[in-house]
Amino acid sequence: MHRGHKGQKANLTPEQRADKAAKKMAKKLSLSAAQTTQVRQLHLARIQEMQAHKGQAGTTSAPAEKKQHHAAMKAGKQRYEAQLKQILSAEQYAKYTQMQAERMQKRKAHRQNMASPQQGKS
């Protein structure tokens, strides 16, 4: 099972999570040392922003406020993507977007597999 993964992630500090993400991107996208440093700083800012929004979103149950938090999170992701695009070369960014698309496709397939009951078992 893959349940331990989230627990491990929760134990990491924002700085450790940013380091891990930057190292992973550096390896997969062949980033320079300067790019890796910039990506780490960008990740750290994004993680801290997300934590702040999650803390606020958890305190409300009003649909209008949830929508507002969702919109803020979406705007933050768009800012992150725009800044990342400035750091990476065109080739690196294209590879990054391809990796993201594949990741989303895997998640979607996994959710569909989890949602549909296994057939043939009694």
Side-chain angles (χ1 to χ4, degrees):
M1 280 204 180
H2 296 276
R3 289 185 181 219
H5 177 70
K6 274 195 175 191
Q8 292 170 352
K9 185 174 156 184
N11 291 335
L12 298 178
T13 65
E15 291 79 10
Q16 290 171 324
R17 289 174 59 196
D19 284 340
K20 189 174 180 178
K23 286 177 185 175
K24 186 176 179 181
M25 283 184 72
K27 184 178 178 182
K28 292 191 178 224
L29 300 175
S30 304
L31 301 183
S32 68
Q35 284 176 312
T36 304
T37 300
Q38 289 177 307
V39 166
R40 184 200 177 278
Q41 291 170 342
L42 182 60
H43 273 289
L44 182 57
R46 177 81 174 128
I47 291 165
Q48 291 169 338
E49 179 184 8
M50 287 176 61
Q51 284 180 330
H53 282 294
K54 283 182 180 179
Q56 292 171 356
T59 62
T60 184
S61 61
E65 288 183 36
K66 283 188 177 187
K67 241 182 189 176
Q68 189 177 14
H69 287 298
H70 179 74
M73 292 286 281
K74 192 172 183 177
K77 181 173 174 37
Q78 289 172 338
R79 278 193 306 276
Y80 169 83
E81 293 288 333
Q83 290 172 324
L84 188 63
K85 193 172 186 175
Q86 291 177 346
I87 295 169
L88 303 179
S89 69
E91 184 179 305
Q92 288 169 327
Y93 189 75
K95 187 173 181 180
Y96 165 79
T97 55
Q98 179 185 354
M99 288 171 18
Q100 291 299 97
E102 289 170 2
R103 186 172 163 217
M104 291 304 290
Q105 198 170 24
K106 284 181 185 178
R107 279 184 170 177
K108 187 176 180 181
H110 179 73
R111 276 196 305 264
Q112 287 174 344
N113 288 339
M114 296 299 288
S116 63
Q118 291 181 356
Q119 297 184 5
K121 300 222 175 186
S122 309

